[in-house]
Amino acid sequence: MADIWGIHFAVLAGIYSLIRRKKLGVAFLFVLVGFLLAKTCGFVFQTITGWIPTNQMDPNALVGKANLLIFATWHNPVWEELVFRGIPLAFLLLVYRKTPFPTGAIWFYLLIPSIVFAIYHVPGHGMGTLLESFLIGILWALAALRWGLIAPIILHIFADAMQVPTLAKMKNMPLAEIPWLVNHSGVLNTVWSLSILLLLLLLPILFLLGWRKSKRL
């Protein structure tokens, strides 16, 4: 229980920090565009290689664990970001202290942990997600460099939580264990679809506002 409350507190504190710095909207748009690019590149990679993403979950694996799967969308991103982005970032901060990171160190931080992150996901998702996971790893690393480690943790949690509305339709999901999700799946999917549509509409609006502002300068 303390673990759950700790995660919630960290997420809320991180969101407040981004809002206070007026970076929350920029961060989410950054992730949206990055995800679309990663997904597109991943699809092209799968088409060329013929590697299809897999789910090696046993048909009965979710029995008694359905709610744990939902909790994992909040829990897993925290420790994944601490391991793959936090530890390497702490190492760079320790080595270079208050001096700016050299270009080589930045490339090391972007590439090496992202490669390990991609390989880490292969056993559970197959070789087909290798490139996509690698690009998403770079996305989280860029977020950490730009806004601090709390940013990729929050964005990773929200990215994984986006899958929750679709869990009620997952094959072999024991629906009796998650009646709240089954009963409200229509509302959740509607809200999710409208949110994505709103974000997509915001992109040209923000571009236009930025262009008008640059013209005034």
Side-chain angles (χ1 to χ4, degrees):
M1 184 62 69
D3 186 24
I4 297 175
W5 283 110
I7 292 173
H8 287 173
F9 176 78
V11 171
L12 292 175
I15 292 175
Y16 173 75
S17 175
L18 289 175
I19 291 175
R20 188 175 181 180
R21 290 183 287 163
K22 299 180 180 179
K23 299 296 183 181
L24 184 63
V26 175
F28 272 95
L29 288 174
F30 171 80
V31 169
L32 175 63
V33 174
F35 253 85
L36 291 175
L37 290 174
K39 291 289 184 181
T40 301
C41 292
F43 176 76
V44 173
F45 176 76
Q46 293 160 19
T47 302
I48 294 174
T49 62
W51 294 338
I52 301 175
T54 60
N55 189 346
Q56 299 178 359
M57 189 173 294
D58 184 83
N60 297 316
L62 289 174
V63 177
K65 300 178 181 179
N67 285 301
L68 290 178
L69 176 63
I70 296 172
F71 174 65
T73 63
W74 292 79
H75 183 274
N76 288 357
V78 175
W79 74 263
E80 284 184 4
E81 292 309 312
L82 290 176
V83 170
F84 294 107
R85 257 64 66 179
I87 293 177
L89 184 60
F91 174 77
L92 291 182
L93 290 171
L94 181 64
V95 172
Y96 297 102
R97 300 183 184 276
K98 296 183 180 181
T99 60
F101 297 156
T103 302
I106 293 176
W107 279 109
F108 172 89
Y109 179 71
L110 292 176
L111 296 178
I112 303 303
S114 299
I115 292 173
V116 179
F117 180 72
I119 296 173
Y120 161 79
H121 282 86
V122 169
H125 302 283
M127 293 291 292
T129 60
L130 194 62
L131 179 61
E132 180 182 324
S133 297
F134 170 71
L135 294 176
I136 289 175
I138 292 180
L139 185 71
W140 300 141
L142 286 170
L145 288 175
R146 187 175 181 87
W147 299 294
L149 183 61
I150 193 64
I153 291 177
I154 295 169
L155 298 173
H156 195 159
I157 287 174
F158 274 96
D160 283 10
M162 289 175 186
Q163 304 173 38
V164 171
T166 65
L167 293 181
K169 298 181 180 179
M170 181 181 290
K171 185 179 180 181
N172 302 319
M173 172 69 75
L175 302 182
E177 295 182 20
I178 49 171
W180 57 272
L181 183 59
V182 176
N183 295 334
H184 300 90
S185 60
V187 174
L188 290 171
N189 278 285
T190 299
V191 172
W192 162 234
S193 300
L194 291 175
S195 298
I196 288 296
L197 180 61
L198 178 61
L199 285 173
L200 291 175
L201 290 174
L202 278 175
L203 288 175
I205 294 174
L206 291 176
F207 176 80
L208 179 61
L209 291 175
W211 178 77
R212 292 182 63 182
K213 184 177 180 180
S214 64
K215 292 289 287 185
R216 293 194 191 101
L217 297 177

